[in-house]
Amino acid sequence: MVDSVIGTRISEMRRRMGVTQAEMARRIGISPSYLNLIERNKRRIAGTLLRRTAEELDVRVDDLDGAPERRLAEALTEIAHLPTLDGLGARAETVPELIARFPGWARATATLARSQQSAQETARALSDRLTHDPFLGETVHRMLTHVAAIRSAGEILTEFSDLEASQRAEFHRIVRDGSERLTETGEALAAYFDRTDETEARLTPLDEIEALYEAQGNHFAALEAAEDVDSAINGILAAAPEIETDAARHRAADRLRDYAKNARAMPADRFAADAARLRCDIDLLAEEYRTGVDAVCRRLATLPGASGLPRCGYFQANASGTIIEMLGVEGLSLPRYAATCPLWVLFRAQQMPGQTMCQPVEMPTGAGFVFVARARLVGPPGFGQARHYVTDMLAMPAADAGATVYASRQTPEPVGPACRICPRTECLHRVADPLAG
């Protein structure tokens, strides 16, 4: 958020309305001198005060803080850093000029790039699934087994004409049964490919749940103050085209109950104010609300941009490196069916459980993020019990991290999403070649 833009816009809009500075200050409940500092860009404005100001000026908050233009500029800047555009003169420093002179073409370019990225991510996810999915491996193995049985029986029937009637009948039965099983396996495989060909490519219950959260921007207003949580959840799921299977419905209901529990324990307005006051320090917020760091991270991710809070994504990984829970954040893509980049602090944190670690990163697209991770022990305590850790990680755009305790002047570390889809060919930690094209 650029304060100079906000202050200037407030001043311009107030003057166009013919409202004096003193009158506007009275309407929004602050002193004229404080409003003067805001309009001169000497004081920040966010949260409830920003919303009240927007209401008095009869505009949206986005119209004041320039969020649409900022998001468009961020998208075009990422496009300018794409390796495929090297040498074409698409320079990031010309993005503001493009938006100012040709806003329609700027939006069209960003829309086309998002469409291409979505298609590429779908292709990569499907390719990854085709490579590693155990269902496919088992199905192909069964098909080969059935084919071998049918071929062997057919060869015996062809080459040995002196078979007894009972023996010939037995081999005919083998051919028949093998053909039936081969047909069933083929139909199952065809159904699998029909499903993976869907536009949304929601191939597992986890995909369906992530699609639901993505469609809602990780935020469910109906659960923020719901008196009857189960009824609210049933209403959400009944209206959600993303949830197609019973398995996803049951898992989504559990996730939404946790959401409602966190919303009750950490009410949005109070939590947003405390998070702003504590500059999103997850350890202090966990102490403030007497809850776990994981609950705080989830809550931050479900209040995207509220009251000036940073946009956050939340990721939870187990000791194997598998992402077992995800609340996405715009601009950060993760592989669905492969391990993420081993350079993420998400994995380093498990070497020092209980310690919060911060890592500024740069993705191959040029997008910058700040990762904040902390590992914790899960499972029953006691001597002889296996010590199993999971890691909770926040991911926020670097531009948003400046207002948090995790603002860093360190040089961002170059990382990727995963080896199979990362273009950093010279990375010393690569364990798999990238997909062709």
Side-chain angles (χ1 to χ4, degrees):
M1 183 178 297
V2 182
D3 292 331
S4 60
V5 172
I6 299 178
T8 300
R9 288 180 177 174
I10 291 174
S11 178
E12 292 174 351
M13 292 179 180
R14 176 183 60 77
R15 293 175 187 275
R16 283 202 298 268
M17 292 176 61
V19 178
T20 66
Q21 199 172 66
E23 175 61 19
M24 178 59 70
R26 184 189 65 78
R27 292 182 184 181
I28 61 178
I30 62 175
S31 67
S33 60
Y34 192 75
L35 178 57
N36 183 52
L37 290 173
I38 291 174
E39 292 188 353
R40 291 169 54 202
N41 310 310
K42 302 295 184 182
R43 291 291 185 274
R44 293 175 54 85
I45 178 172
T48 303
L49 180 57
L50 181 60
R51 289 197 296 270
R52 284 203 305 264
T53 304
E55 290 171 0
E56 290 299 330
L57 294 172
D58 195 24
V59 296
R60 300 173 304 171
V61 172
D62 284 355
D63 294 327
L64 286 181
D65 67 11
E69 292 86 352
R70 186 177 66 249
R71 286 194 292 269
L72 179 58
E74 290 173 353
L76 292 174
T77 300
E78 291 183 19
I79 293 170
H81 284 93
L82 291 175
T84 53
L85 299 185
D86 284 348
L88 297 182
R91 302 191 307 276
E93 58 267 25
T94 63
V95 165
E97 181 182 356
L98 175 63
I99 295 174
R101 296 184 61 186
F102 306 105
W105 278 110
R107 290 192 295 271
T109 300
T111 300
L112 288 173
R114 282 194 295 270
S115 177
Q116 181 192 29
Q117 181 185 24
S118 177
Q120 288 177 337
E121 288 175 352
T122 299
R124 287 165 179 165
L126 291 175
S127 175
D128 217 11
R129 189 171 179 85
L130 292 173
T131 303
H132 300 291
D133 194 309
F135 169 80
L136 285 178
E138 293 172 3
T139 302
V140 172
H141 177 73
R142 287 199 301 271
M143 291 183 71
L144 293 175
T145 300
H146 299 327
V147 168
I150 294 171
R151 180 177 179 179
S152 297
E155 289 176 350
I156 292 173
L157 288 171
T158 301
E159 295 177 5
F160 298 94
S161 58
D162 56 346
L163 291 173
E164 296 181 2
S166 59
Q167 292 176 319
R168 186 171 296 277
E170 177 64 17
F171 285 116
H172 278 129
R173 184 191 63 77
I174 292 174
V175 172
R176 183 201 63 197
D177 291 348
S179 299
E180 289 178 354
R181 286 192 289 268
L182 184 61
T183 300
E184 293 172 356
T185 305
E187 289 175 349
L189 191 61
Y192 170 91
F193 282 115
D194 285 343
R195 180 163 177 76
T196 59
D197 193 43
E198 294 176 358
T199 301
E200 293 297 323
R202 293 188 292 272
L203 307 178
T204 69
L206 181 60
D207 289 327
E208 295 179 43
I209 295 171
E210 290 173 5
L212 170 65
Y213 272 76
E214 183 178 359
Q216 298 295 326
N218 295 337
H219 182 76
F220 295 89
L223 294 178
E224 288 295 328
E227 295 183 1
D228 188 340
V229 172
D230 288 338
S231 294
I233 291 175
N234 290 336
I236 292 171
L237 296 180
E242 299 84 7
I243 303 299
E244 301 176 353
T245 64
D246 289 338
R249 189 169 292 104
H250 292 315
R251 295 185 188 184
D254 291 339
R255 287 272 295 272
L256 292 173
R257 288 189 189 95
D258 287 339
Y259 183 109
K261 178 181 177 181
N262 287 336
R264 287 195 302 270
M266 293 171 277
D269 290 341
R270 177 190 163 195
F271 182 81
D274 288 335
R277 173 174 57 85
L278 298 174
R279 302 187 67 201
C280 294
D281 188 317
I282 59 176
D283 294 290
L284 292 181
L285 283 168
E287 183 178 354
E288 181 95 0
Y289 284 89
R290 298 182 182 278
T291 189
V293 165
D294 58 321
V296 168
C297 292
R298 288 190 188 92
R299 195 61 176 140
L300 285 170
T302 58
L303 298 174
S307 303
L309 295 183
R311 296 163 292 167
C312 292
Y314 168 67
F315 305 92
Q316 186 183 108
N318 62 18
S320 72
T322 302
I323 301 295
I324 56 179
E325 185 176 342
M326 180 176 80
L327 299 175
V329 61
E330 184 178 356
L332 182 59
S333 300
L334 268 75
R336 303 284 184 175
Y337 307 105
T340 59
C341 175
L343 298 178
W344 286 19
V345 73
L346 180 72
F347 308 111
R348 297 178 196 171
Q350 292 200 359
Q351 301 171 18
M352 291 180 284
Q355 178 177 332
T356 301
M357 304 176 68
C358 180
Q359 177 193 35
V361 302
E362 181 182 6
M363 303 301 290
T365 61
F369 291 89
V370 172
F371 293 164
V372 181
R374 191 174 192 270
R376 55 190 168 89
L377 179 66
V378 296
F383 179 77
Q385 295 287 347
R387 301 183 65 82
H388 177 55
Y389 293 91
V390 298
T391 305
D392 305 292
M393 188 181 85
L394 277 181
M396 62 187 80
D400 289 8
T404 74
V405 294
Y406 306 110
S408 175
R409 294 185 179 180
Q410 296 177 341
T411 301
E413 183 176 354
V415 302
C419 289
R420 286 175 54 78
I421 55 177
C422 180
R424 300 189 191 278
T425 57
E426 303 302 320
C427 178
L428 298 177
H429 301 278
R430 176 178 293 283
V431 295
D433 291 333
L435 294 172

